[in-house]
Amino acid sequence: MKIKKNIAVSENGFVFDPTTGDSYSLNEIGTEFLNLMKAGKSKEKIQKEIMNKYDVDEITFEKSFHDFIKMLATYQLIEDHEEK
Amino acid sequence: MEKLRFERPIIKRIETGMPNKFGTKTEYDPISHIDGVAVADLIKKYGSPLFVVSEKTIRKTFNDAKRSFYTRYPRVQFAWSYKTNYLDAVCRVFHDEGSWAEVVSGFEYDKAIRNGVKGDKIIFNGPDKSEADLEKAAKNGSMIHLDHFDELYTLIELAEKKNLKPKVAVRVNMDTGIYPSWDRFGFNYENGEAWDAINRIMLNKKLELVGLHTHIGTYILSVKSYGIAASKLSYLASEIEKKYGHAIKYIDMGGGFASKNTLKGAYLPGTDTCPSFDEYAESITSGIINSEIKPENLPFLILESGRALIDDAGYIIGTTLANKRLPDGRRSMIIDVGVNLLFTSFWYEHKITPAHAFTQHTEDTTIFGPLCMNIDVIRQNISFPVLKKGDQFVISKVGAYNMTQWLQFITLRPKIVLIDLKKGVHIIRESETAENFIRMEKTPEHLTSRQE
Ligand SMILES: Cc1ncc(COP(=O)(O)O)c(C=O)c1O
């Protein structure tokens, strides 16, 4: 899955989608996830980085990641929908 | 290097300008401790979910209420409304503070006696008192509050037969300008029924008329209604004085003061809309003081306030079971506290607070209980911090009615603990076991002997 190229992510957790004019707020981890995804990192890479930095186990990461992607899809912030 | 605390990642669309149905932003602190005892420790030791009662808060709330009335009226007496919370430990805190008992069944009556309340300090209300109940109460010198004419005549007969002189009060219902008007209990003021009942008692002489009683409803936000009710009862008292030269001993204004919970659908939180004890006290005492009752006959003022005295002292603490995305993208959260334990979630938007630190980020959330039933909703729409499976929370102001109206439904009921003034934790009701219920059931033989 790819994040829409033209969306802007600010450091303090705001997202702006110029195609719809909608803004979004993210929490700290959400911001990290989105930035890593925007940088084109694979899920495995993201998992490694997050697990190094945060106190989180594999299952919790997995659940959170999928829930987050579902929300990105709901808000149509993902370019192609053939996720996974 | 120590790793950072992980919070579930969330993204939320910003809706400009318009407050949505999930309400405004939640800005508050976690509740990690109750009266200095850690929520996490309580759950570890006593299980989840767990009801927690604060003795300190009971005593403080009671004394706040008492002060509001004593400073305005010389003769005040509280009577603890058993149905609101009749755990023995809770009742005994109120009795220790000087409360009498207000009961509405034989079961509650016997509970009050077991809690050491003297018979003549028990007020017996309600539409269902058996003859045996009435006889016991009459012999003990309790105050029997009459609900209907059938009861009045049953008691007159009993008094004759057993040579007793029961102490009675007439429960009066009336229009105080509020809706709904509780007109099914007692005798009506406006149509003259209450005055009729009073005359029958006074002329018959088998009963001693000691008081007048009303309970205008529950969660009453209209302070003025109490003033109207107090004036109407005072008027009846002065008419009794005039006609019979008889001074009644007390006016009982019942309960009904609102607690600081937020009613479902209310625009503002209960903490903003709820009148103070001072406001209720001012209205009630003015109604009595400014009446025609002679100063030397000034009656005792009895109050049977329930929810306003105990709601704040009760908490239920519990654990997040799961998070789930609903088909429309909304978040739902399942917790181990359901409507089986939190009966009042049918009326209130209960305040639920994480027990640990959380960020200001929230998601629009529906909070479900653990029951496999569609009605098991604790909060329909709440803007709530992101909790994950296993995270703990505290639901506040649940002291009234939940620990009496809870249901043994689908699962067993948990323990209740009391935190004393010195942070000591005491189990005041054990959790239920399957044994408790197996013991009460009986299976007919033709069903037990069935072979596979
Ligand atoms: C006669 C009587 N007194 C007192 C109460 C306590 O009411 P509340 O909890 O609203 O103060 C009730 C409750 O319904 C009642 O019926």
Side-chain angles (χ1 to χ4, degrees), chain B residues 79 81 83-84 102 104 125-126 171 182 185 213-215 217-220 226 252-258 303-309 400-401:
Chain B
S81 158
K83 71 163 96 57
T84 310
E102 185 268 327
V104 292
N125 278 319
R171 174 155 180 179
W182 279 31
F185 301 108
H213 172 225
T214 191
H215 171 74
T218 192
Y219 200 94
I220 305 296
Y226 279 98
D252 178 348
M253 290 300 299
F257 302 161
L303 297 153
E304 303 171 349
S305 184
R307 70 175 74 238
L309 294 185
Y401 296 104

PDB file of all heavy atoms in Angstrom, chain B residues 79 81 83-84 102 104 125-126 171 182 185 213-215 217-220 226 252-258 303-309 400-401, ligand 1:
ATOM      1  N   ALA B  79     -32.636  10.164  57.188  1.00  0.00           N
ATOM      2  CA  ALA B  79     -32.943   8.734  57.274  1.00  0.00           C
ATOM      3  C   ALA B  79     -32.408   8.084  55.998  1.00  0.00           C
ATOM      4  O   ALA B  79     -32.778   8.498  54.893  1.00  0.00           O
ATOM      5  CB  ALA B  79     -34.444   8.523  57.395  1.00  0.00           C
ATOM      6  N   SER B  81     -31.932   6.055  52.897  1.00  0.00           N
ATOM      7  CA  SER B  81     -32.820   5.355  51.964  1.00  0.00           C
ATOM      8  C   SER B  81     -32.171   4.030  51.568  1.00  0.00           C
ATOM      9  O   SER B  81     -31.275   3.983  50.729  1.00  0.00           O
ATOM     10  CB  SER B  81     -33.008   6.259  50.743  1.00  0.00           C
ATOM     11  OG  SER B  81     -33.408   5.512  49.630  1.00  0.00           O
ATOM     12  N   LYS B  83     -32.954   1.427  49.803  1.00  0.00           N
ATOM     13  CA  LYS B  83     -32.959   0.877  48.441  1.00  0.00           C
ATOM     14  C   LYS B  83     -31.846   1.466  47.569  1.00  0.00           C
ATOM     15  O   LYS B  83     -31.419   0.864  46.601  1.00  0.00           O
ATOM     16  CB  LYS B  83     -34.319   1.114  47.777  1.00  0.00           C
ATOM     17  CG  LYS B  83     -34.586   2.582  47.420  1.00  0.00           C
ATOM     18  CD  LYS B  83     -35.716   2.710  46.405  1.00  0.00           C
ATOM     19  CE  LYS B  83     -37.073   2.978  47.005  1.00  0.00           C
ATOM     20  NZ  LYS B  83     -37.162   4.180  47.850  1.00  0.00           N
ATOM     21  N   THR B  84     -31.370   2.639  47.922  1.00  0.00           N
ATOM     22  CA  THR B  84     -30.335   3.293  47.122  1.00  0.00           C
ATOM     23  C   THR B  84     -29.019   2.519  47.187  1.00  0.00           C
ATOM     24  O   THR B  84     -28.312   2.395  46.196  1.00  0.00           O
ATOM     25  CB  THR B  84     -30.117   4.732  47.627  1.00  0.00           C
ATOM     26  OG1 THR B  84     -31.382   5.363  47.730  1.00  0.00           O
ATOM     27  CG2 THR B  84     -29.257   5.528  46.687  1.00  0.00           C
ATOM     28  N   GLU B 102     -34.604   4.402  56.340  1.00  0.00           N
ATOM     29  CA  GLU B 102     -35.856   4.512  55.580  1.00  0.00           C
ATOM     30  C   GLU B 102     -35.947   3.272  54.710  1.00  0.00           C
ATOM     31  O   GLU B 102     -35.083   3.037  53.850  1.00  0.00           O
ATOM     32  CB  GLU B 102     -35.848   5.781  54.722  1.00  0.00           C
ATOM     33  CG  GLU B 102     -37.146   6.044  53.981  1.00  0.00           C
ATOM     34  CD  GLU B 102     -37.194   5.467  52.576  1.00  0.00           C
ATOM     35  OE1 GLU B 102     -36.153   5.407  51.898  1.00  0.00           O
ATOM     36  OE2 GLU B 102     -38.296   5.053  52.157  1.00  0.00           O
ATOM     37  N   VAL B 104     -38.437   0.134  52.554  1.00  0.00           N
ATOM     38  CA  VAL B 104     -39.665  -0.017  51.770  1.00  0.00           C
ATOM     39  C   VAL B 104     -40.082  -1.473  51.581  1.00  0.00           C
ATOM     40  O   VAL B 104     -40.871  -1.785  50.688  1.00  0.00           O
ATOM     41  CB  VAL B 104     -39.524   0.670  50.388  1.00  0.00           C
ATOM     42  CG1 VAL B 104     -39.438   2.182  50.539  1.00  0.00           C
ATOM     43  CG2 VAL B 104     -38.322   0.150  49.629  1.00  0.00           C
ATOM     44  N   ASN B 125     -41.738   2.926  54.550  1.00  0.00           N
ATOM     45  CA  ASN B 125     -42.480   3.449  53.405  1.00  0.00           C
ATOM     46  C   ASN B 125     -42.904   2.319  52.480  1.00  0.00           C
ATOM     47  O   ASN B 125     -42.529   1.175  52.665  1.00  0.00           O
ATOM     48  CB  ASN B 125     -41.573   4.390  52.590  1.00  0.00           C
ATOM     49  CG  ASN B 125     -41.500   5.786  53.173  1.00  0.00           C
ATOM     50  OD1 ASN B 125     -42.522   6.322  53.609  1.00  0.00           O
ATOM     51  ND2 ASN B 125     -40.316   6.373  53.187  1.00  0.00           N
ATOM     52  N   GLY B 126     -43.605   2.695  51.424  1.00  0.00           N
ATOM     53  CA  GLY B 126     -43.858   1.774  50.321  1.00  0.00           C
ATOM     54  C   GLY B 126     -45.258   1.194  50.301  1.00  0.00           C
ATOM     55  O   GLY B 126     -45.949   1.176  51.320  1.00  0.00           O
ATOM     56  N   ARG B 171     -48.439   9.667  53.635  1.00  0.00           N
ATOM     57  CA  ARG B 171     -47.648  10.054  52.461  1.00  0.00           C
ATOM     58  C   ARG B 171     -48.559  10.819  51.509  1.00  0.00           C
ATOM     59  O   ARG B 171     -49.652  10.370  51.176  1.00  0.00           O
ATOM     60  CB  ARG B 171     -47.074   8.831  51.764  1.00  0.00           C
ATOM     61  CG  ARG B 171     -46.390   9.237  50.459  1.00  0.00           C
ATOM     62  CD  ARG B 171     -45.337   8.279  50.023  1.00  0.00           C
ATOM     63  NE  ARG B 171     -44.726   8.723  48.773  1.00  0.00           N
ATOM     64  CZ  ARG B 171     -43.753   8.070  48.168  1.00  0.00           C
ATOM     65  NH1 ARG B 171     -43.291   6.953  48.689  1.00  0.00           N
ATOM     66  NH2 ARG B 171     -43.246   8.524  47.039  1.00  0.00           N
ATOM     67  N   TRP B 182     -45.143  12.323  40.596  1.00  0.00           N
ATOM     68  CA  TRP B 182     -45.267  10.973  41.182  1.00  0.00           C
ATOM     69  C   TRP B 182     -46.588  10.900  41.928  1.00  0.00           C
ATOM     70  O   TRP B 182     -46.645  11.204  43.124  1.00  0.00           O
ATOM     71  CB  TRP B 182     -44.115  10.691  42.125  1.00  0.00           C
ATOM     72  CG  TRP B 182     -42.854  10.258  41.434  1.00  0.00           C
ATOM     73  CD1 TRP B 182     -42.439  10.625  40.186  1.00  0.00           C
ATOM     74  CD2 TRP B 182     -41.841   9.391  41.951  1.00  0.00           C
ATOM     75  NE1 TRP B 182     -41.235  10.045  39.899  1.00  0.00           N
ATOM     76  CE2 TRP B 182     -40.836   9.280  40.958  1.00  0.00           C
ATOM     77  CE3 TRP B 182     -41.669   8.695  43.150  1.00  0.00           C
ATOM     78  CZ2 TRP B 182     -39.688   8.502  41.142  1.00  0.00           C
ATOM     79  CZ3 TRP B 182     -40.529   7.948  43.330  1.00  0.00           C
ATOM     80  CH2 TRP B 182     -39.551   7.841  42.333  1.00  0.00           C
ATOM     81  N   PHE B 185     -48.085   7.151  44.634  1.00  0.00           N
ATOM     82  CA  PHE B 185     -47.806   6.779  46.024  1.00  0.00           C
ATOM     83  C   PHE B 185     -48.510   7.732  46.984  1.00  0.00           C
ATOM     84  O   PHE B 185     -48.461   8.949  46.800  1.00  0.00           O
ATOM     85  CB  PHE B 185     -46.297   6.795  46.291  1.00  0.00           C
ATOM     86  CG  PHE B 185     -45.526   5.863  45.409  1.00  0.00           C
ATOM     87  CD1 PHE B 185     -44.722   6.338  44.395  1.00  0.00           C
ATOM     88  CD2 PHE B 185     -45.627   4.485  45.579  1.00  0.00           C
ATOM     89  CE1 PHE B 185     -44.016   5.467  43.559  1.00  0.00           C
ATOM     90  CE2 PHE B 185     -44.931   3.604  44.763  1.00  0.00           C
ATOM     91  CZ  PHE B 185     -44.128   4.099  43.748  1.00  0.00           C
ATOM     92  N   HIS B 213     -45.567  13.135  55.032  1.00  0.00           N
ATOM     93  CA  HIS B 213     -44.447  12.722  54.186  1.00  0.00           C
ATOM     94  C   HIS B 213     -44.753  12.975  52.725  1.00  0.00           C
ATOM     95  O   HIS B 213     -45.895  12.840  52.286  1.00  0.00           O
ATOM     96  CB  HIS B 213     -44.204  11.214  54.411  1.00  0.00           C
ATOM     97  CG  HIS B 213     -43.211  10.591  53.481  1.00  0.00           C
ATOM     98  ND1 HIS B 213     -43.443   9.378  52.865  1.00  0.00           N
ATOM     99  CD2 HIS B 213     -41.986  10.993  53.061  1.00  0.00           C
ATOM    100  CE1 HIS B 213     -42.390   9.060  52.119  1.00  0.00           C
ATOM    101  NE2 HIS B 213     -41.500  10.009  52.217  1.00  0.00           N
ATOM    102  N   THR B 214     -43.728  13.330  51.978  1.00  0.00           N
ATOM    103  CA  THR B 214     -43.833  13.335  50.521  1.00  0.00           C
ATOM    104  C   THR B 214     -42.482  12.950  49.947  1.00  0.00           C
ATOM    105  O   THR B 214     -41.437  13.082  50.599  1.00  0.00           O
ATOM    106  CB  THR B 214     -44.277  14.707  49.972  1.00  0.00           C
ATOM    107  OG1 THR B 214     -44.612  14.554  48.585  1.00  0.00           O
ATOM    108  CG2 THR B 214     -43.181  15.770  50.074  1.00  0.00           C
ATOM    109  N   HIS B 215     -42.516  12.423  48.740  1.00  0.00           N
ATOM    110  CA  HIS B 215     -41.289  12.181  47.982  1.00  0.00           C
ATOM    111  C   HIS B 215     -41.678  12.522  46.558  1.00  0.00           C
ATOM    112  O   HIS B 215     -42.418  11.793  45.922  1.00  0.00           O
ATOM    113  CB  HIS B 215     -40.854  10.720  48.124  1.00  0.00           C
ATOM    114  CG  HIS B 215     -39.726  10.332  47.212  1.00  0.00           C
ATOM    115  ND1 HIS B 215     -38.422  10.725  47.425  1.00  0.00           N
ATOM    116  CD2 HIS B 215     -39.694   9.598  46.073  1.00  0.00           C
ATOM    117  CE1 HIS B 215     -37.651  10.240  46.456  1.00  0.00           C
ATOM    118  NE2 HIS B 215     -38.401   9.559  45.620  1.00  0.00           N
ATOM    119  N   GLY B 217     -40.214  12.834  43.686  1.00  0.00           N
ATOM    120  CA  GLY B 217     -39.627  12.195  42.510  1.00  0.00           C
ATOM    121  C   GLY B 217     -38.151  12.024  42.730  1.00  0.00           C
ATOM    122  O   GLY B 217     -37.654  12.219  43.838  1.00  0.00           O
ATOM    123  N   THR B 218     -37.444  11.647  41.667  1.00  0.00           N
ATOM    124  CA  THR B 218     -36.015  11.417  41.835  1.00  0.00           C
ATOM    125  C   THR B 218     -35.249  12.203  40.787  1.00  0.00           C
ATOM    126  O   THR B 218     -35.779  12.484  39.714  1.00  0.00           O
ATOM    127  CB  THR B 218     -35.703   9.905  41.782  1.00  0.00           C
ATOM    128  OG1 THR B 218     -34.367   9.700  42.222  1.00  0.00           O
ATOM    129  CG2 THR B 218     -35.886   9.321  40.392  1.00  0.00           C
ATOM    130  N   TYR B 219     -34.037  12.598  41.103  1.00  0.00           N
ATOM    131  CA  TYR B 219     -33.200  13.455  40.252  1.00  0.00           C
ATOM    132  C   TYR B 219     -33.993  14.707  39.855  1.00  0.00           C
ATOM    133  O   TYR B 219     -34.209  15.005  38.684  1.00  0.00           O
ATOM    134  CB  TYR B 219     -32.715  12.705  38.989  1.00  0.00           C
ATOM    135  CG  TYR B 219     -31.487  13.353  38.349  1.00  0.00           C
ATOM    136  CD1 TYR B 219     -30.201  12.912  38.661  1.00  0.00           C
ATOM    137  CD2 TYR B 219     -31.611  14.406  37.460  1.00  0.00           C
ATOM    138  CE1 TYR B 219     -29.083  13.495  38.092  1.00  0.00           C
ATOM    139  CE2 TYR B 219     -30.489  15.003  36.879  1.00  0.00           C
ATOM    140  CZ  TYR B 219     -29.232  14.541  37.197  1.00  0.00           C
ATOM    141  OH  TYR B 219     -28.123  15.122  36.629  1.00  0.00           O
ATOM    142  N   ILE B 220     -34.456  15.438  40.879  1.00  0.00           N
ATOM    143  CA  ILE B 220     -35.262  16.637  40.652  1.00  0.00           C
ATOM    144  C   ILE B 220     -34.348  17.852  40.583  1.00  0.00           C
ATOM    145  O   ILE B 220     -33.688  18.199  41.558  1.00  0.00           O
ATOM    146  CB  ILE B 220     -36.278  16.824  41.813  1.00  0.00           C
ATOM    147  CG1 ILE B 220     -37.133  15.569  42.005  1.00  0.00           C
ATOM    148  CG2 ILE B 220     -37.150  18.058  41.574  1.00  0.00           C
ATOM    149  CD1 ILE B 220     -38.018  15.224  40.854  1.00  0.00           C
ATOM    150  N   TYR B 226     -39.438  21.860  45.596  1.00  0.00           N
ATOM    151  CA  TYR B 226     -39.312  21.465  46.999  1.00  0.00           C
ATOM    152  C   TYR B 226     -39.964  22.495  47.922  1.00  0.00           C
ATOM    153  O   TYR B 226     -40.572  22.137  48.935  1.00  0.00           O
ATOM    154  CB  TYR B 226     -37.836  21.267  47.371  1.00  0.00           C
ATOM    155  CG  TYR B 226     -37.332  19.923  46.947  1.00  0.00           C
ATOM    156  CD1 TYR B 226     -36.624  19.767  45.765  1.00  0.00           C
ATOM    157  CD2 TYR B 226     -37.597  18.788  47.711  1.00  0.00           C
ATOM    158  CE1 TYR B 226     -36.177  18.524  45.356  1.00  0.00           C
ATOM    159  CE2 TYR B 226     -37.149  17.538  47.317  1.00  0.00           C
ATOM    160  CZ  TYR B 226     -36.444  17.411  46.134  1.00  0.00           C
ATOM    161  OH  TYR B 226     -36.017  16.172  45.741  1.00  0.00           O
ATOM    162  N   ASP B 252     -41.570  15.030  56.581  1.00  0.00           N
ATOM    163  CA  ASP B 252     -40.558  14.237  55.888  1.00  0.00           C
ATOM    164  C   ASP B 252     -40.622  14.591  54.406  1.00  0.00           C
ATOM    165  O   ASP B 252     -41.621  14.325  53.743  1.00  0.00           O
ATOM    166  CB  ASP B 252     -40.838  12.742  56.128  1.00  0.00           C
ATOM    167  CG  ASP B 252     -39.857  11.831  55.414  1.00  0.00           C
ATOM    168  OD1 ASP B 252     -39.095  12.310  54.562  1.00  0.00           O
ATOM    169  OD2 ASP B 252     -39.873  10.613  55.726  1.00  0.00           O
ATOM    170  N   MET B 253     -39.556  15.192  53.915  1.00  0.00           N
ATOM    171  CA  MET B 253     -39.539  15.680  52.522  1.00  0.00           C
ATOM    172  C   MET B 253     -39.020  14.645  51.524  1.00  0.00           C
ATOM    173  O   MET B 253     -38.827  14.957  50.347  1.00  0.00           O
ATOM    174  CB  MET B 253     -38.691  16.943  52.425  1.00  0.00           C
ATOM    175  CG  MET B 253     -39.316  18.159  53.102  1.00  0.00           C
ATOM    176  SD  MET B 253     -40.926  18.621  52.397  1.00  0.00           S
ATOM    177  CE  MET B 253     -40.443  18.994  50.712  1.00  0.00           C
ATOM    178  N   GLY B 254     -38.782  13.400  51.991  1.00  0.00           N
ATOM    179  CA  GLY B 254     -38.336  12.360  51.064  1.00  0.00           C
ATOM    180  C   GLY B 254     -36.949  12.630  50.522  1.00  0.00           C
ATOM    181  O   GLY B 254     -36.137  13.307  51.157  1.00  0.00           O
ATOM    182  N   GLY B 255     -36.681  12.093  49.331  1.00  0.00           N
ATOM    183  CA  GLY B 255     -35.364  12.282  48.696  1.00  0.00           C
ATOM    184  C   GLY B 255     -35.544  13.004  47.381  1.00  0.00           C
ATOM    185  O   GLY B 255     -36.373  13.894  47.273  1.00  0.00           O
ATOM    186  N   GLY B 256     -34.740  12.601  46.396  1.00  0.00           N
ATOM    187  CA  GLY B 256     -34.912  13.146  45.053  1.00  0.00           C
ATOM    188  C   GLY B 256     -33.887  14.182  44.630  1.00  0.00           C
ATOM    189  O   GLY B 256     -33.885  14.597  43.474  1.00  0.00           O
ATOM    190  N   PHE B 257     -33.000  14.611  45.552  1.00  0.00           N
ATOM    191  CA  PHE B 257     -31.975  15.585  45.139  1.00  0.00           C
ATOM    192  C   PHE B 257     -31.113  14.941  44.049  1.00  0.00           C
ATOM    193  O   PHE B 257     -30.744  13.774  44.148  1.00  0.00           O
ATOM    194  CB  PHE B 257     -31.069  15.992  46.313  1.00  0.00           C
ATOM    195  CG  PHE B 257     -31.793  16.585  47.485  1.00  0.00           C
ATOM    196  CD1 PHE B 257     -31.189  16.625  48.736  1.00  0.00           C
ATOM    197  CD2 PHE B 257     -33.078  17.100  47.346  1.00  0.00           C
ATOM    198  CE1 PHE B 257     -31.843  17.166  49.839  1.00  0.00           C
ATOM    199  CE2 PHE B 257     -33.750  17.645  48.440  1.00  0.00           C
ATOM    200  CZ  PHE B 257     -33.131  17.667  49.687  1.00  0.00           C
ATOM    201  N   ALA B 258     -30.787  15.729  43.034  1.00  0.00           N
ATOM    202  CA  ALA B 258     -29.997  15.197  41.923  1.00  0.00           C
ATOM    203  C   ALA B 258     -28.560  14.956  42.365  1.00  0.00           C
ATOM    204  O   ALA B 258     -28.030  15.678  43.197  1.00  0.00           O
ATOM    205  CB  ALA B 258     -30.034  16.168  40.762  1.00  0.00           C
ATOM    206  N   LEU B 303     -35.180  14.059  56.104  1.00  0.00           N
ATOM    207  CA  LEU B 303     -34.769  13.957  54.702  1.00  0.00           C
ATOM    208  C   LEU B 303     -34.343  12.526  54.402  1.00  0.00           C
ATOM    209  O   LEU B 303     -33.643  11.902  55.205  1.00  0.00           O
ATOM    210  CB  LEU B 303     -33.619  14.921  54.427  1.00  0.00           C
ATOM    211  CG  LEU B 303     -34.038  16.381  54.634  1.00  0.00           C
ATOM    212  CD1 LEU B 303     -32.864  17.239  55.009  1.00  0.00           C
ATOM    213  CD2 LEU B 303     -34.762  16.923  53.409  1.00  0.00           C
ATOM    214  N   GLU B 304     -34.810  12.024  53.267  1.00  0.00           N
ATOM    215  CA  GLU B 304     -34.504  10.643  52.872  1.00  0.00           C
ATOM    216  C   GLU B 304     -33.649  10.628  51.618  1.00  0.00           C
ATOM    217  O   GLU B 304     -33.800   9.760  50.760  1.00  0.00           O
ATOM    218  CB  GLU B 304     -35.807   9.889  52.584  1.00  0.00           C
ATOM    219  CG  GLU B 304     -36.794   9.853  53.725  1.00  0.00           C
ATOM    220  CD  GLU B 304     -38.149   9.289  53.295  1.00  0.00           C
ATOM    221  OE1 GLU B 304     -38.402   9.126  52.093  1.00  0.00           O
ATOM    222  OE2 GLU B 304     -38.962   9.009  54.198  1.00  0.00           O
ATOM    223  N   SER B 305     -32.792  11.612  51.487  1.00  0.00           N
ATOM    224  CA  SER B 305     -31.971  11.731  50.287  1.00  0.00           C
ATOM    225  C   SER B 305     -31.149  10.468  50.062  1.00  0.00           C
ATOM    226  O   SER B 305     -30.522   9.954  50.987  1.00  0.00           O
ATOM    227  CB  SER B 305     -31.043  12.938  50.475  1.00  0.00           C
ATOM    228  OG  SER B 305     -30.313  13.143  49.312  1.00  0.00           O
ATOM    229  N   GLY B 306     -31.182   9.964  48.849  1.00  0.00           N
ATOM    230  CA  GLY B 306     -30.453   8.738  48.516  1.00  0.00           C
ATOM    231  C   GLY B 306     -29.287   9.012  47.586  1.00  0.00           C
ATOM    232  O   GLY B 306     -28.144   9.162  48.012  1.00  0.00           O
ATOM    233  N   ARG B 307     -29.600   9.149  46.288  1.00  0.00           N
ATOM    234  CA  ARG B 307     -28.520   9.215  45.288  1.00  0.00           C
ATOM    235  C   ARG B 307     -27.546  10.363  45.533  1.00  0.00           C
ATOM    236  O   ARG B 307     -26.344  10.195  45.302  1.00  0.00           O
ATOM    237  CB  ARG B 307     -29.104   9.274  43.878  1.00  0.00           C
ATOM    238  CG  ARG B 307     -29.807  10.565  43.515  1.00  0.00           C
ATOM    239  CD  ARG B 307     -30.251  10.568  42.047  1.00  0.00           C
ATOM    240  NE  ARG B 307     -31.402   9.717  41.797  1.00  0.00           N
ATOM    241  CZ  ARG B 307     -31.428   8.721  40.946  1.00  0.00           C
ATOM    242  NH1 ARG B 307     -30.352   8.422  40.264  1.00  0.00           N
ATOM    243  NH2 ARG B 307     -32.513   7.996  40.782  1.00  0.00           N
ATOM    244  N   ALA B 308     -28.050  11.515  45.992  1.00  0.00           N
ATOM    245  CA  ALA B 308     -27.156  12.666  46.165  1.00  0.00           C
ATOM    246  C   ALA B 308     -26.130  12.412  47.270  1.00  0.00           C
ATOM    247  O   ALA B 308     -25.081  13.037  47.302  1.00  0.00           O
ATOM    248  CB  ALA B 308     -27.963  13.922  46.471  1.00  0.00           C
ATOM    249  N   LEU B 309     -26.438  11.471  48.176  1.00  0.00           N
ATOM    250  CA  LEU B 309     -25.515  11.211  49.284  1.00  0.00           C
ATOM    251  C   LEU B 309     -24.522  10.089  48.991  1.00  0.00           C
ATOM    252  O   LEU B 309     -23.505   9.976  49.662  1.00  0.00           O
ATOM    253  CB  LEU B 309     -26.300  10.857  50.559  1.00  0.00           C
ATOM    254  CG  LEU B 309     -27.168  11.960  51.163  1.00  0.00           C
ATOM    255  CD1 LEU B 309     -27.769  11.486  52.482  1.00  0.00           C
ATOM    256  CD2 LEU B 309     -26.371  13.241  51.391  1.00  0.00           C
ATOM    257  N   ALA B 400     -25.101   4.988  43.758  1.00  0.00           N
ATOM    258  CA  ALA B 400     -26.537   4.864  43.992  1.00  0.00           C
ATOM    259  C   ALA B 400     -27.196   3.883  43.035  1.00  0.00           C
ATOM    260  O   ALA B 400     -26.940   3.925  41.837  1.00  0.00           O
ATOM    261  CB  ALA B 400     -27.206   6.231  43.849  1.00  0.00           C
ATOM    262  N   TYR B 401     -27.987   3.028  43.575  1.00  0.00           N
ATOM    263  CA  TYR B 401     -28.862   2.097  42.857  1.00  0.00           C
ATOM    264  C   TYR B 401     -28.166   0.954  42.134  1.00  0.00           C
ATOM    265  O   TYR B 401     -28.772  -0.102  41.932  1.00  0.00           O
ATOM    266  CB  TYR B 401     -29.808   2.849  41.895  1.00  0.00           C
ATOM    267  CG  TYR B 401     -30.756   3.745  42.670  1.00  0.00           C
ATOM    268  CD1 TYR B 401     -30.567   5.122  42.713  1.00  0.00           C
ATOM    269  CD2 TYR B 401     -31.792   3.198  43.438  1.00  0.00           C
ATOM    270  CE1 TYR B 401     -31.395   5.943  43.473  1.00  0.00           C
ATOM    271  CE2 TYR B 401     -32.614   4.001  44.198  1.00  0.00           C
ATOM    272  CZ  TYR B 401     -32.413   5.373  44.212  1.00  0.00           C
ATOM    273  OH  TYR B 401     -33.225   6.167  44.978  1.00  0.00           O
TER     274      TYR B 401
HETATM  275  C1  LIG C   1     -39.877   7.195  49.645  1.00  0.00           C
HETATM  276  C2  LIG C   1     -38.535   7.411  49.096  1.00  0.00           C
HETATM  277  N1  LIG C   1     -37.632   8.104  49.822  1.00  0.00           N
HETATM  278  C3  LIG C   1     -36.371   8.319  49.357  1.00  0.00           C
HETATM  279  C4  LIG C   1     -35.959   7.860  48.126  1.00  0.00           C
HETATM  280  C5  LIG C   1     -34.570   8.178  47.657  1.00  0.00           C
HETATM  281  O1  LIG C   1     -34.613   8.940  46.521  1.00  0.00           O
HETATM  282  P1  LIG C   1     -33.318   9.622  45.882  1.00  0.00           P
HETATM  283  O2  LIG C   1     -32.297   8.566  45.660  1.00  0.00           O
HETATM  284  O3  LIG C   1     -33.838  10.183  44.587  1.00  0.00           O
HETATM  285  O4  LIG C   1     -32.855  10.676  46.814  1.00  0.00           O
HETATM  286  C6  LIG C   1     -36.875   7.144  47.331  1.00  0.00           C
HETATM  287  C7  LIG C   1     -36.501   6.663  46.004  1.00  0.00           C
HETATM  288  O5  LIG C   1     -37.247   6.421  45.110  1.00  0.00           O
HETATM  289  C8  LIG C   1     -38.194   6.918  47.824  1.00  0.00           C
HETATM  290  O6  LIG C   1     -39.099   6.246  47.106  1.00  0.00           O
END
